[in-house]
Each structure stands twice: as structure tokens, then as C-alpha cells.
Amino acid sequence: MKKKMTLRQQVLRTSMLMLLLSLLLGMIVIGVCMALFVDKVPDGDKFLMDSFAFLFGKQTSGPRQGIPYLVLAGVLLCVLVAGLCIILSSRMTGRMTATLKTFRQAADNLRDGELDFQILSCDLQEMDQLGQSLESVRQRLKAAALAEAVAQEERGLLMANLSHDLRTPITAIKGYVEGIQDGIANTPEKEQHYLKIIYNKSQLMEKLVRNMSDFSEYELGRMQYHFEYVEMGAFLRDLGEEYEEDVKQNQMTFTHQIPGGQYVVTADRGKLKRVLDNLISNAIKYGRPGGAIALTAEEYEGGLVIQVSDNGKGIGTKALRHVFDSFFRADTARSSAVPGSGLGLAICRSIISSHHGKIWLTSEEGEGTQAFIYLPLQKEEEWLG
């Protein structure tokens, strides 16, 4: 690759070129003038010899007669040298000005949000570096604009899905309330059944609204935490009993194996529960009819590893690399029997990272998915003291 010239080198090069060309031009002009003078003026050669003698301090009468010619030759030489310098300087500054105009146009485009152009390279090193910096800014802004456009589209889709999920339980609640008002629930048992469904649907709506609130906090970077010492054995066993009923309602089997002992972590109970709610919800959503879901935990290298596994349809290798990206959906079809979009794995990762833990997935298409959460355990003297 050809090494580019710096601005200082370009100025020095142009200055040296002007000097050399001026000297050469001066010698040519003087030589031509001397030849013409000797040829056209009687005793011209003697006059030139007397002129040189005069320049070296010898007084003669000849040079005084030739002073006008010398002055004319000097003026002519100065005009030619000045013209040469102007031409070379204009050429150099013209190239610089053209490059600066290109950069100015690029800056105006960036200011106006016009990003579909390219800044070409320049011969001058400093100008080229500036051009590369502007091109890098343009590429980053364009990538950010494209990402924002995709995120905006996905955000709109998510809001539409959440609205759909809210509309479903609202419609059910209205229907059962109307049934009670119209006397369809004409026995205490049937009325209790209706009220239980209304209560369950209201709980679902509460969960959806809470998820929307978490999504807004995540988007704004204002998610609040209330950390405390949490004994994970009892915490997970309570959740296991709660999840067991939810899974059974979806014609699937659920098992949970939580080891005995004290496993204390510093955590926000509500946020941690919502992460597990999302993992269980995904296991139900993408599980197969009559499938199995398991919640287990074990101690590992100073922490507790919580695993949620299912034997559903699994996730492809390509999609698995993006499951924690914001708004990513491995399957855009909304065919789940379980309403609600959950927290989303991107928010789950943010929550677990705030707990100084890790979350990851393994999966195989047609075999199922395993979600893992690692949380560092607190030393006994810390939470007892």
C-alpha cells in the first residue's frame, strides 16, 4: 500500500519544487536574455563583460548604459517566478480545498441524518485520517439507525402482543361477570367456579402489567432492586409448589428437586421470582403436550446453579446465539396456550447480572431446552453476622 504524504511534507515538497523551478527558470531567462543581447546589440559581449566587472566593484561606463536592460530582466524574472509560485500554490491549496469541501458536505449529511454515502480516501495523510474518522462515525451512526429501526419495529410488535394478551383475560373476565349478573351461575358451586376463573385471570393481568412495567424500567435503565439475604432452598421449594399447579393446568408434568441445607444469596426476591416465572413460562409455551418440566438446584463452585429444563421442541443452534438479544424471538408465531410475553431473556440476563450471577441456555432441536442460573452464595458468617 502506497504510503500517504503528510501535509507538512506536501508543503515542503511544493516549496522545494518552487525553488528549483525558479532557479531553473531564472537561469533560462538570463541565458536567453544574454544570447539575445549579444546577438542584437553592437559590442554586446563587451557590454556584458563590463556589466560583470561593474557587479564585482570595478567602475566602468558601460554598465550604466545597460542598467535599464538589467532592471527589465530582473522585473521579468520576478514576474515569472511569482507566476510560477502562484500556480503551484493554487494547485496545492485547490486540492486541499476540494477535500475540505467534501468533508464539509459529509458533516452536513451527518448533521441532517443522511447516512447513505461514502467518504473516499485522500492522498494527504492528515486529511485521509480525518476522512477515515468521519467514515467510521457514518458507519456507526448508520448501524445504530438500522438497529433502532429494527428495535422500534420489534417494540411495536411487542406492545401489540402485550395488548392482545391483556385483551384476552379482560374479555374472559367480562364474560364471567356477565354470566354471574345474568344468573347463569345459579348455584354456589358454579358461582365459586366463575369467581375462581375471574381471580386467576386478574392475576394474569397483574403479571402482564408488572412485566410491562419491568420492560419500561429496562428500556430506560431505571430498574430498581431491593436486595436482601434470601435462603434459596425454601424460596425454590415454595416456587416449585406454585409452578406445579400452573404446569398441571397445561396438561404437563412438573418435578422439583431442591437439596436440603442453607443456601443464602443476596437477591431481590421479586426480580428473581420473575426471572424464574419467565423460564417456566417459556418451558410451558414451547413444551410439547404431555411433556415434562423440571426445576432443580445444586451447589457448584461457591454458588448455586438453578436449572429449568423441558423436553419440548428445543432451539436451533443459530437462534440459540441470539436468545438473550433484546426483542429476539426464535418463533414469531403466537400459538402458545399460555398468554403473556414474560420478561424476555434480555431482561432476565440484566436482572441476573445485577445479582453478580450468570444465566445461559443449552438446547437441541426436538429434544428440549435447559436454562441455567448461577448465583454466588454468601458465606455463613456474613449472613449470620
Side-chain angles (χ1 to χ4, degrees), residues 154-197:
E154 292 288 349
R155 193 178 294 115
L157 179 61
L158 180 60
M159 291 297 104
N161 289 334
L162 285 172
S163 299
H164 173 270
D165 292 338
L166 280 172
R167 192 182 304 115
T168 302
I170 289 174
T171 302
I173 289 173
K174 286 176 62 179
Y176 283 106
V177 169
E178 289 173 357
I180 295 175
Q181 291 175 336
D182 294 341
I184 297 176
N186 50 14
T187 64
E189 293 78 10
K190 199 168 186 178
E191 183 176 340
Q192 286 298 317
H193 176 68
Y194 276 29
L195 290 174
K196 183 178 180 181
I197 294 176

Side-chain angles (χ1 to χ4, degrees), residues 56-227:
F56 287 102
K58 295 181 179 180
Q59 296 296 324
T60 62
S61 58
R64 291 185 179 87
Q65 299 174 1
I67 287 177
Y69 297 99
L70 293 176
V71 171
L72 180 61
V75 170
L76 180 61
L77 180 61
C78 290
V79 169
L80 292 174
V81 170
L84 178 65
C85 292
I86 291 172
I87 293 172
L88 292 175
S89 299
S90 298
R91 183 173 178 273
M92 181 183 70
T93 55
R95 292 173 57 194
M96 294 175 59
T97 302
T99 303
L100 290 175
K101 284 182 178 179
T102 301
F103 291 162
R104 178 183 175 183
Q105 183 61 47
D108 290 341
N109 290 339
L110 293 176
R111 180 197 61 199
D112 297 335
E114 174 59 48
L115 303 174
D116 293 326
F117 65 96
Q118 186 176 5
I119 301 174
L120 302 178
S121 62
C122 176
D123 293 337
L124 294 176
Q125 190 179 85
E126 291 87 352
M127 295 290 189
D128 188 62
Q129 290 173 351
L130 177 58
Q132 290 178 5
S133 298
L134 286 173
E135 176 65 13
S136 177
V137 170
R138 184 196 69 83
Q139 291 178 357
R140 290 187 180 184
L141 288 175
K142 186 172 183 178
L146 291 174
E148 177 60 26
V150 172
Q152 186 66 31
E153 181 180 355
E154 292 288 349
R155 193 178 294 115
L157 179 61
L158 180 60
M159 291 297 104
N161 289 334
L162 285 172
S163 299
H164 173 270
D165 292 338
L166 280 172
R167 192 182 304 115
T168 302
I170 289 174
T171 302
I173 289 173
K174 286 176 62 179
Y176 283 106
V177 169
E178 289 173 357
I180 295 175
Q181 291 175 336
D182 294 341
I184 297 176
N186 50 14
T187 64
E189 293 78 10
K190 199 168 186 178
E191 183 176 340
Q192 286 298 317
H193 176 68
Y194 276 29
L195 290 174
K196 183 178 180 181
I197 294 176
I198 292 171
Y199 176 74
N200 290 337
K201 295 297 182 181
S202 64
Q203 280 191 317
L204 176 59
M205 289 177 60
E206 181 184 10
K207 183 184 295 185
L208 288 171
V209 172
R210 187 171 61 240
N211 288 349
M212 291 177 67
S213 175
D214 285 332
F215 171 75
S216 298
E217 290 179 359
Y218 171 75
E219 282 282 281
L220 297 173
R222 297 176 181 174
M223 191 169 285
Q224 301 295 319
Y225 294 90
H226 303 284
F227 289 104

